[in-house]
Amino acid sequence: MSADKTAAAYEVLSPWAEADPIPLKGLSPRLDKLDGKKIGLLCNNKRAAPLILDATEKLIKKKFPTATVSRFFARSFSVSSLEKDREAEFNKWLKGVDAVIAAVGD
Amino acid sequence: MYDAIYVEGKGKPAATYVFEHFYNDSMSAASSKGMPVIRVVPETIVSESTVKVDIEAAVKAVFKDVVAVLTKPLTADEKAPKRREPENPPRLIFKGTLAEVNQFFYQRGWTDGLPIIPPTEEAVKEMMTGTDLPADHIVEKLEPRLGKATIEKIAINAVIAGCLPTYMPLLIAGVQALVANPACGMMAASTGSFAPFWLVNGPIAKDINVRSTYGATNPGDIANASFGRAMGLITKNVRGIRKQIEDMGVLGNPGKYSWVAAENEENSPWEPLHVERGFKKEDSAVTLMFPQSFQQMMPFGTDDKGILATIVGSIAPARMGSFAVLLTPTNAKSLADGGWSKKAVKKYIVKNTIVPDDYYSRLGYKAEVLFDRANITGPGIGPQIFRPSPRDPDPVQVFVFGGFGSWMGFIQGGPPPITKKVELPKNWAQLVKKYKNVVPNYARY
């Protein structure tokens, strides 16, 4: 930093944009247990995602044998943001599950 | 993360695996969508990993956390999060010497690491003479932070970057381009280090001296250097995409400093890009792509056959996303002399760029999962790398810029290109007259 006390002073404006407060949403009620529940496995198109969910499915079957699983494969990073044409299909799948475990590959 | 928020919004509990280094990124994404209390499961699986044994071990290590995320009762804050005010600093933020201003901005995380021009009231006012729009006009709100890209905020970032007022119309069009596709925000934040590439067409290119010839994307021209730099600062300070917080580019990309050219329209044998994309020749326009890679090649031969063979023979199967071949006017003329229109060149590349059947077996590689998300090849699908689809009906682009020479290039990655018309202010001719002569004059030695 300059120690020159005679250097010109600049009064400067902030480059950081204003943003409005966003209405906040709470989380959905949790399940009491996973036994007997239908667990949705949501997989995006990153290649680690299906492998993560394969490992998850194995553990669900081992630890919660009465639970069932159902998968949904996104064609992109995010089905809800980038695949508006599949909204009805995704919502239908979502209605049929009790909870979702998502793998996004990151 | 956006999908987990959507799922929670539909009344279902969600647990999302998040690589531990992406925790900040996932929380910023959740806050931007109004769910800062989202539950995630941090784990140790490296992005894009395909090593099954590592993945299984990592999932096993955190499976109890997955169960807890779905079953542990919610806290009061998780049920009804308290209102959080976004950080809105005062308009006048600091007073100090040039060095002090630079240090203050750098330490606040508002620069790209290079020195800045102090955005004083006077400098910002002068910058805003480049548009007829008022200072408080909101051009767009930019995701993920939904920062308001007002004319004043655009101008402040433009001053910092070293822009001239005549770049304001281009900056406004650039901001509009950023929101034209929701994938743009993801590109700026992606592990793939996608960098915005801006191609300028129409009269504005000459009016503001955007270089289209030798070394078009090299440093050395104020328009090419500062327009892209300003858009990078807008990405950081308005969108709120910051390095290793939201921008999780793994290798990074020097193109994020500034990657700008004008098309060399006067030496191209073909119609300019913006005309091809539906605009009038006399319109000014800017096209945005998000390549993660740039490759340059010397063609096998400089006639049409040599150029086309080099293109289709040099495209790597590991590539992803949109693709543009960069031709010099010399390359373009060779193709046009051989009877090739731009459309025919694109069609040829789509048809003839293939992954040979034995490609992976010759490498001794058997994929457990399909390698290329954007260009799925495999049995029954066909060997073509480029696949026109409703999402990307025109997967190959041809851009003509640079000096007279044989070198050619590819840029590739990201969603399909976006082109926006640049609207000029009423007093454009006077503005151009005032600033056009700001050009380097190199002394001979």
Side-chain angles (χ1 to χ4, degrees):
Chain A
M1 194 189 299
S2 169
D4 180 1
K5 300 294 180 198
T6 64
Y10 299 89
E11 193 168 18
V12 291
L13 305 186
S14 164
W16 185 251
E18 288 183 7
D20 293 325
I22 298 168
L24 299 186
K25 296 168 273 190
L27 300 184
S28 296
R30 303 292 105 174
L31 304 178
D32 55 346
K33 56 185 180 179
L34 296 193
D35 302 275
K37 298 293 193 298
K38 188 162 184 181
I39 310 299
L41 302 179
L42 176 57
C43 185
N44 81 352
N45 72 339
K46 292 212 170 188
R47 58 190 179 175
L51 301 176
I52 292 170
L53 294 179
D54 287 348
T56 304
E57 186 173 344
K58 268 189 204 169
L59 288 168
I60 290 173
K61 284 181 174 163
K62 186 176 169 189
K63 294 186 184 290
F64 306 100
T66 57
T68 56
V69 298
S70 165
R71 286 208 195 194
F72 190 94
F73 292 92
R75 296 188 192 121
S76 63
F77 306 140
S78 165
V79 62
S80 62
S81 303
L82 300 177
E83 299 172 44
K84 297 295 180 194
D85 56 325
R86 300 182 72 200
E87 194 174 357
E89 184 191 349
F90 185 51
N91 285 342
K92 190 179 169 191
W93 174 80
L94 206 48
K95 269 190 180 169
V97 300
D98 298 305
V100 170
I101 299 172
V104 294
D106 282 333
Chain B
M1 191 47 56
Y2 292 168
D3 287 344
I5 290 160
Y6 184 89
V7 167
E8 293 276 358
K10 292 286 178 185
K12 310 278 176 166
T16 304
Y17 288 102
V18 172
F19 181 35
E20 56 190 358
H21 295 285
F22 284 67
Y23 182 76
N24 286 334
D25 179 36
S26 64
M27 288 298 110
S28 291
S31 293
S32 75
K33 293 287 180 188
M35 200 173 277
V37 293
I38 192 90
R39 289 178 173 182
V40 298
V41 181
E43 33 75 358
T44 57
I45 302 162
V46 177
S47 305
E48 303 280 359
S49 171
T50 62
V51 184
K52 210 170 165 180
V53 63
D54 291 349
I55 291 172
E56 285 181 347
V59 169
K60 196 174 173 187
V62 296
F63 187 69
K64 63 178 188 320
D65 300 332
V66 173
V67 176
V69 162
L70 297 177
T71 58
K72 190 178 164 194
L74 299 177
T75 63
D77 193 44
E78 286 176 327
K79 282 181 191 167
K82 290 184 191 76
R83 181 184 162 94
R84 289 159 204 212
E85 290 298 327
E87 188 203 2
N88 287 325
R91 182 169 173 271
L92 282 166
I93 191 73
F94 186 75
K95 189 174 179 182
T97 64
L98 181 63
E100 287 166 345
V101 167
N102 266 276
Q103 183 166 316
F104 175 79
F105 272 55
Y106 180 65
Q107 289 181 327
R108 288 293 294 257
W110 289 342
T111 80
D112 50 15
L114 292 172
I116 65 160
I117 303 289
T120 60
E121 192 89 63
E122 297 73 25
V124 172
K125 195 174 167 192
E126 184 184 357
M127 186 63 64
M128 289 192 294
T129 61
T131 176
D132 292 333
L133 295 166
D136 60 355
H137 174 79
I138 298 172
V139 176
E140 297 287 353
K141 289 183 184 179
L142 299 182
E143 286 192 326
R145 186 172 165 264
L146 293 176
K148 294 175 193 171
T150 61
I151 291 298
E152 183 173 88
K153 287 297 176 190
I154 294 170
I156 292 169
N157 284 283
V159 169
I160 292 172
C163 292
L164 299 177
T166 39
Y167 308 170
M168 277 299 284
L170 199 56
L171 289 159
I172 293 166
V175 166
Q176 291 166 336
L178 287 178
V179 299
N181 185 332
C184 288
M186 295 184 188
M187 290 302 109
S190 172
T191 54
S193 304
F194 300 89
F197 171 77
W198 304 92
L199 191 66
V200 181
N201 277 102
I204 195 172
K206 285 207 178 304
D207 288 347
I208 67 171
N209 301 309
V210 184
R211 179 168 281 262
S212 66
T213 58
Y214 285 92
T217 58
N218 272 347
D221 294 275
I222 186 170
N224 302 59
S226 66
F227 165 64
R229 186 185 184 202
M231 292 308 302
L233 293 170
I234 287 167
T235 294
K236 180 172 266 197
N237 298 328
V238 180
R239 307 195 84 166
I241 299 180
R242 291 127 346 136
K243 182 151 70 173
Q244 209 182 341
I245 305 293
E246 294 85 14
D247 177 353
M248 295 305 292
V250 179
L251 291 174
N253 194 326
K256 290 196 182 196
Y257 276 114
S258 191
W259 200 359
V260 178
E263 201 166 35
N264 195 336
E265 293 178 24
E266 65 185 276
N267 291 301
S268 171
W270 298 317
E271 76 278 19
L273 180 72
H274 70 307
V275 174
E276 182 191 342
R277 295 177 68 79
F279 296 91
K280 293 179 193 155
K281 191 169 189 323
E282 61 270 27
D283 288 338
S284 290
V286 63
T287 297
L288 168 64
M289 262 182 78
F290 274 95
Q292 87 280 63
S293 65
F294 176 33
Q295 174 183 349
Q296 296 194 56
M297 294 149 293
M298 179 55 71
F300 302 144
T302 59
D303 61 350
D304 57 338
K305 289 185 178 59
I307 291 167
L308 289 170
T310 309
I311 295 170
V312 300
S314 303
I315 297 170
R319 64 161 306 280
M320 284 177 59
S322 285
F323 174 87
V325 57
L326 313 179
L327 299 175
T328 63
T330 314
N331 303 138
K333 184 176 181 302
S334 292
L335 289 164
D337 288 349
W340 294 88
S341 66
K342 204 195 288 188
K343 193 175 173 185
V345 168
K346 291 162 79 165
K347 199 173 166 187
Y348 181 89
I349 296 170
V350 167
K351 186 179 172 195
N352 292 288
T353 307
I354 62 165
V355 181
D357 288 342
D358 63 347
Y359 186 84
Y360 294 109
S361 61
R362 280 195 293 115
L363 297 172
Y365 180 72
K366 189 179 175 199
E368 287 199 28
V369 288
L370 288 170
F371 177 73
D372 189 340
R373 288 189 292 276
N375 307 285
I376 297 164
T377 54
I381 299 176
Q384 272 78 22
I385 281 183
F386 297 111
R387 299 172 181 282
S389 68
R391 225 169 119 196
D392 190 4
D394 194 19
V396 170
Q397 305 297 324
V398 175
F399 301 158
V400 180
F401 68 84
F404 298 99
S406 300
W407 285 100
M408 47 189 276
F410 298 158
I411 53 174
Q412 41 197 340
I418 293 154
T419 302
K420 286 285 173 188
K421 185 177 172 183
V422 179
E423 301 290 351
L424 303 174
K426 289 188 200 83
N427 63 339
W428 183 243
Q430 290 144 276
L431 283 168
V432 170
K433 195 174 170 191
K434 185 173 177 185
Y435 295 103
K436 191 170 181 178
N437 290 330
V438 181
V439 290
N441 291 293
Y442 297 108
R444 292 197 64 173
Y445 59 86

